[in-house]
Amino acid sequence: MDWQAINNRIARMTEQLQAMQSPDGAWRMCIDCGTMSDCYLLVTLRLLDVRDEPLIRSLADRIISRREPEGSWKLFPDEHEGSLDATTEALLALLTSGHYRDGDPVIDQAKQFIRARGGLNKVQSLLTQSLLCVTGQADWPQSFRIPLNAMFSKDGPLPTLFQMSGHARVHLVPIIVMANKRFSLRTAHTPDLSDLFLNGSRRFHNDASIISVLNGLFGSLIGLLSPDDDSLYRQAESFLLERIEPDGTLLTYSTATVLMLLSLVSLGRSPSDPIMNEGIRGTRTLLCGDPPMVQIATPTVWDTGMLAYALGKAGLPSSHETMQRAARYLRLRQHTRYGDWAIRAPNVAPGGWGFSNISTRYPDTDSTAAALRAFVTDPSTTQPHRPASIPADDWDRGLHWLVAMRNDDGGWPAFERNGKPLPVGLFNDSGTAEIVNDLSHADLTSRVLHFLGEDLGMSTRQQWIDRSARWVLSQQEKDGSWFGRWGITYTHGTGTVILGLTSIGVKPDHPAIARGVRWLLSVQNADGGWGESCYSDQQRHYIPLGTSTPSQTAWALDGLIAALPAPTKEIERGVDALLHTLDVQPAQLNRYPTGAGLAGMVYVHYESNNWIWPLLTLARLRHKFQ
C-alpha cells in the first residue's frame, strides 16, 4: 500500500476543498441532470414571452453541446442508440429558441432519429409528454386527465394526493390541472412537429394505464369523469402556491416550478403576474456552469454537509475556520416550518434539513443525516450527542426528526414516513413509479445506520436498530448485492449497506456480509476499480460500464474496508485505481452520472461525487489500516 501517495492525496484534496468553499461556508457545486431541465426552461421562457435572449441563446448552446455526433441526445454516455425522449425535448427547445430552423442539419438529423425510433407516439416519459402537450404538439393523454375530485378525495377509488411522494405531488398537480383543461399555449416561436407523429394520431402509445381504463369503462358510474368545478381548481392552485419557497421555486425544483407557472396560466393568471416573475427569477438561481445548465435543484446543503463530514474524517478539526463556516451555514438551513411530512408524523417537531440552498418545507433524511454528521467531526469525541458547533436544542430537534421518519418496516424513506406503494400500472409512463413512491430504501437506511453507529455509538443491541438491520438484510439480492435507489446502482447499494451494517455491530463474517464482499470482488474491473452503467438502474440487474469511476470505486472500497480485517491485494488494486482515476480522469467519466434520479428519465452527475466519496474512502482506509 502506497501510504505516501494516499496521505498526499488526502492533504491535496483537503487543501483544494478549503479553497473552493464559499465565503458563507457552503460548497456550491453543480449537479448535471442532462438537458431536460434546460429544455423545459427555454420553452417556458418563450411561452411566457420572457424576453431574455442571452439566456435563451446560452441554453440552446448548452443543449447543442450535449448532442451526439449522429444527431441524437442521450440520458447517459453509454446509452446505445440515444434517447427518444431526450432528443424530442432537445428538438422542441432548439426550434422554439428561434436559433435553429427546419433544414438545419442539427434539426434534420434529430427528426430523422425520432422517425427511426417510431415517432413521437413512442415517447414514454411523463415530463416529455407533458412538454409536447402544453406546446400543442400532442393530445393530453387520458391517463393524465385524473379528475381533481379523485385526487383530493380521501374516499375515492384512486390514491389520494398525499399517498404520493412530495416531489410527485408538485409535478403531477400542475400536469393534471392542464390535462383536465386540455390546455396548450402556442406563440410565434412554437414549431409544428405534427409530421413526427407517424400514424396520423397525436396520441401516445402508452396511454393505457389503470386510470385511463377506469375513466373509459367506469367513469360515468363512479363519478370519476364528473366535471371539476372551479372550487377544485382553486384548491389545486392553493396547494401549489402554499408550497412556493422563499426564492419563488416550487419546493426548489426547476421542473416543478415551470410546470406550476404554466398551470397558473391555464387557470387564468397573466404571464406578468408577480408570482410568475418570482418563479422565473427563482429558476434562474438554479443555473450553474459554463455554458449554464438548469439544475433540477441545487445540492448545496447536501454537498456542504457531506464535504464537511469528509474533511473532518480526513483530519480537519471542528475548530478550524473551514469547519466553523460550514457549521454556521448549515445551522441557518435547519427547518423550522412544518411540511407535508407532518401529515404522517403529526407529533414530530420540524428539525430536518432539505437538499437545496433555499429549502424550508421539504426536508429529507439523507440531507438531514449529512448535516448532523457535519457537526460531529472530531474522532477524539466518544459520545458527541451535542456537538459544540450547534445548539443542543437544534441538535436534538434534528436527530429526533431523523429518527421519527423511520418507517414501520424498520427502513428509512427519502422524505415522508410510511408511504405505501401505489398500484402497479397506475401510470405507464417511463420512470413515473420512481416519482410517486417513496418507500424504505436500503442505501438511505444504511447511511442513517452508519451515522447512528459510527457517530452516536448505537448498535444492534438496541432492539429498534436491530429491526432496521434485519430489514436491510432482507433486501439482499440472490447474487449477494443490494440495490441502491439513489446511486448507480448495485455497487452503490452493496458498499453502502456493508458499511452501514458493520458500523452497528453486524459481524463482518455474517453470511450476508460475506456474500456482499464476494459480489463486490466479482465485479472488480481489470484496472482494479469499479464502474457500473446506468442501464443497471433501468433493467434492475448489474450491467458493467466497462471502465472505472471514482465514486463507484470508492463505494466498493468502503464495503471491503469495513468487512475485511487487513488490506488485501484487491483493496490495494482498488486504491491504486482510485488514485489513478482522480489524477487522469477522462472528460467523459468526469461527468458520468453516478446518481440516480428517475429510472429511464433522469440520471445525475454530482460534481461533488468525485470529492466526497474518494476522500471519505481514503480517510477510512488510513484510519483502519495505517
Side-chain angles (χ1 to χ4, degrees), residues 13 98 120 149 182 209 213-214 279 283 287 318 334 347 360 365 419 442 448 480-481 521 573:
M13 293 181 80
L120 296 182
N149 56 356
R182 278 61 160 190
S209 68
V213 171
L214 286 172
T283 307
L287 293 169
S318 61
Q334 187 175 21
N347 300 316
T360 66
T365 58
V448 174
S481 66
L521 295 177
R573 290 177 57 236

Side-chain angles (χ1 to χ4, degrees), residues 239-530:
F239 170 87
L240 297 172
L241 297 180
E242 289 166 2
R243 286 155 182 79
I244 294 177
E245 293 285 7
D247 63 355
T249 62
L250 182 57
L251 288 192
T252 78
Y253 294 112
S254 61
T255 45
T257 303
V258 297
L259 284 168
M260 174 189 69
L261 298 180
L262 294 169
S263 71
L264 291 177
V265 173
S266 78
L267 293 172
R269 286 186 182 263
S270 167
S272 61
D273 188 292
I275 290 175
M276 316 292 278
N277 295 332
E278 284 298 297
I280 294 296
R281 183 188 64 79
T283 307
R284 279 196 179 100
T285 67
L286 304 182
L287 293 169
C288 189
D290 184 21
M293 61 182 169
V294 183
Q295 302 173 105
I296 286 186
T298 60
T300 321
V301 169
W302 159 260
D303 282 354
T304 300
M306 288 301 294
L307 286 166
Y309 163 57
L311 286 170
K313 292 300 176 186
L316 212 60
S318 61
S319 59
H320 193 283
E321 180 57 27
T322 295
M323 307 297 281
Q324 289 292 308
R325 283 200 302 267
R328 284 195 294 271
Y329 171 85
L330 290 169
R331 287 199 303 269
L332 293 173
R333 265 70 185 174
Q334 187 175 21
H335 288 202
T336 59
R337 300 174 65 186
Y338 286 90
D340 292 337
W341 56 266
I343 294 172
R344 298 184 209 150
N347 300 316
V348 179
W353 278 262
F355 180 73
S356 299
N357 182 47
I358 304 295
S359 173
T360 66
R361 301 184 60 100
Y362 199 45
D364 69 88
T365 58
D366 216 13
S367 297
T368 298
L372 290 170
R373 302 198 86 156
F375 300 115
V376 186
T377 58
D378 292 334
S380 59
T381 307
T382 56
Q383 288 294 328
H385 290 285
R386 290 180 173 83
S389 53
I390 182 174
D393 288 347
D394 294 341
W395 169 265
D396 288 343
R397 285 193 304 111
L399 183 58
H400 179 62
W401 186 88
L402 176 63
V403 172
M405 288 303 110
R406 179 175 173 266
N407 287 330
D408 289 345
D409 64 11
W412 268 266
F415 299 97
E416 298 170 55
R417 73 182 306 269
N418 282 348
K420 295 180 180 179
L422 299 181
V424 175
L426 181 65
F427 296 97
N428 278 343
D429 307 276
S430 175
T432 305
E434 301 291 348
I435 300 177
V436 297
N437 291 324
D438 180 23
L439 310 177
S440 294
H441 304 296
D443 51 348
L444 293 190
T445 301
S446 297
R447 256 202 296 274
V448 174
L449 291 176
H450 185 235
F451 161 58
L452 297 176
E454 181 184 66
D455 296 313
L456 302 187
M458 298 184 185
S459 75
T460 53
R461 291 189 298 271
Q462 293 154 286
Q463 187 174 5
W464 68 282
I465 294 287
D466 184 64
R467 186 156 185 268
S468 294
R470 290 179 183 277
W471 179 84
V472 173
L473 289 168
S474 74
Q475 302 302 301
Q476 190 172 31
E477 305 284 334
K478 290 180 179 179
D479 64 4
S481 66
W482 277 270
F483 174 78
R485 162 66 181 90
W486 296 98
I488 304 298
T489 295
Y490 296 94
T491 308
H492 170 252
T494 306
T496 303
V497 165
I498 294 174
L499 185 64
L501 290 180
T502 54
S503 72
I504 56 170
V506 177
K507 299 300 183 184
D509 60 356
H510 187 287
I513 301 297
R515 286 199 303 272
V517 168
R518 286 196 296 272
W519 183 84
L520 286 173
L521 295 177
S522 75
V523 297
Q524 188 172 17
N525 288 334
D527 68 1
W530 281 261

